[in-house]
Amino acid sequence: MTPLLDVRDLRVTFPAPPGEVHPVDGVSFALARGETLALVGESGCGKSLTSLAILGLVPPPGRIAAGSSVRLGGEELTTLDARALRRVRGGRIGMVFQDPMTSLNPVLTVGDQIAEAVRAHRRVTRAAARERARALLEEVGLPDPAARLDLYPHQLSGGQRQRVMIAIALAAEPEVLIADEPTTALDVTIQAQILDLIRDLQTRLGLAVILVTHDLGIVAEYADDVTILYAARVMEQASSTQLFRNPLNPYTRGLLESIPGTDGARHHRLQAIAGTIPSAMNPPSGCRFHPRCPMAIPNCSNVDPPLEAKSAGHYAA
């Protein structure tokens, strides 16, 4: 199947004495229409920056390094000028950011903000944009959408604000939806509602979804394919079924072992990955996980393991 979104050797670079740092370093993955890909890893591993780089939103003075490729429906995005990229952002790729309270404008009503997103990509009247905003609020499951058009973000609950963010992301009927930690700071019941909403919209609209998360429970329930990131590098890629059945990289195994069990064992000690993720300013030599890896051998500090096919559709470093 030809991928809708094809990311190859994506590298993001920032200037830093005495040279450069790469908080995203050679990330590759493919996403087909109607599929959900989960980007998984600890905070600071490069998940959110990878998402921003796809949209050309790397904060300055950072830039996408030469040789990186992001193709959407066969069109190369990394070489587009600013005007062409604006048509892609929100037009062909929608994004739901982590914190709706800081992403939404506090002095504009939610109706105005959704309508603004509609008019940025569609030549419609203000009245038509407002009606589209009402329909979108209805589509994302917000009760009494007409009344909520004139509310401000602070007048909505966290789950309702997240639904507004999803409505904005869907305003121009994108082909790809990037959901960056869409359930942050929400209780578990609302988390499930938001994720079920995204899955329902994906089914009805044929969306391809990138789900950025560190929660492997969410991955098991909602993702078709998984890419594990650590310290800016891809450590493992597989279908969700393959990954949970046969994790190959020690970092993936560490993430799985750190999930609280559901077997009811009261005295089982939770396994944790020792240490912290290294700084992009000074990554370790060889395998970037070796300083924290319980399976490390001397050669791990010298050899940077390549991502290799271990079985059909299953790659591990």
Side-chain angles (χ1 to χ4, degrees):
M1 182 183 297
T2 302
L4 174 62
L5 180 68
D6 192 15
V7 177
R8 289 286 164 245
D9 199 28
L10 180 61
R11 299 175 189 272
V12 175
T13 180
F14 282 82
E20 296 179 333
V21 296
H22 299 88
V24 175
D25 194 2
V27 172
S28 299
F29 57 82
L31 179 65
R33 193 179 300 276
E35 288 187 344
T36 297
L37 169 72
L39 293 181
V40 182
E42 295 168 274
S43 297
C45 69
K47 306 186 302 296
S48 294
L49 190 55
T50 296
S51 303
L52 292 173
I54 290 170
L55 289 169
L57 290 174
V58 176
R63 60 181 177 83
I64 297 175
S68 301
S69 176
V70 179
R71 300 183 71 84
L72 177 62
E75 181 181 18
E76 180 59 55
L77 303 187
T78 60
T79 57
L80 295 181
D81 59 26
R83 185 173 182 178
L85 265 178
R86 281 195 294 271
R87 290 196 295 268
V88 173
R89 299 174 190 142
R92 300 183 66 190
I93 303 177
M95 185 161 182
V96 181
F97 293 92
Q98 284 190 31
D99 185 357
M101 198 58 191
T102 57
S103 299
L104 293 170
N105 190 326
V107 300
L108 294 178
T109 65
V110 297
D112 285 343
Q113 294 183 65
I114 300 170
E116 180 184 31
V118 173
R119 298 191 74 200
H121 297 280
R122 299 286 185 270
R123 291 187 176 182
V124 297
T125 64
R126 292 182 182 275
R130 181 177 172 85
E131 173 55 27
R132 171 66 174 155
R134 186 208 61 77
L136 283 165
L137 288 182
E138 183 176 14
E139 190 166 37
V140 298
L142 212 57
D144 197 5
R148 281 168 169 75
L149 285 174
D150 295 318
L151 297 182
Y152 291 88
H154 73 273
Q155 295 175 292
L156 301 175
S157 69
Q160 290 172 334
R161 286 194 292 268
Q162 196 63 286
R163 289 174 188 268
V164 171
M165 289 296 297
I166 295 171
I168 292 173
L170 296 177
E173 301 177 354
E175 301 166 76
V176 178
L177 179 68
I178 301 175
D180 187 4
E181 300 279 7
T183 58
T184 298
L186 300 178
D187 65 62
V188 291
T189 303
I190 304 302
Q191 283 184 21
Q193 291 177 3
I194 294 298
L195 291 167
D196 286 342
L197 169 64
I198 292 174
R199 183 163 59 183
D200 179 57
L201 290 168
Q202 177 183 29
T203 301
R204 288 194 283 117
L205 303 177
L207 293 169
V209 175
I210 296 177
L211 182 61
V212 178
T213 184
H214 59 265
D215 189 332
L216 285 167
I218 289 175
V219 173
E221 179 71 19
Y222 295 95
D224 298 304
D225 298 302
V226 188
T227 292
I228 303 290
L229 297 180
Y230 180 78
R233 297 278 184 87
V234 175
M235 307 301 280
E236 190 161 357
Q237 289 179 320
S239 69
S240 178
T241 302
Q242 286 176 311
L243 190 88
F244 283 91
R245 183 177 296 162
N246 184 30
L248 298 177
N249 187 275
Y251 179 61
T252 306
R253 294 177 184 173
L255 290 176
L256 290 170
E257 289 170 358
S258 66
I259 300 174
T262 58
D263 57 2
R266 297 179 60 188
H267 303 292
H268 174 69
R269 184 176 179 85
L270 186 66
Q271 299 297 311
I273 302 174
T276 58
I277 195 166
S279 168
M281 297 284 290
N282 188 29
S285 61
C287 174
R288 296 192 176 184
F289 185 56
H290 87 263
R292 304 173 66 190
C293 181
M295 301 174 64
I297 58 176
N299 209 31
C300 292
S301 61
N302 302 318
V303 178
D304 187 6
L307 197 67
E308 297 179 333
K310 303 299 182 181
S311 62
H314 196 161
Y315 300 83

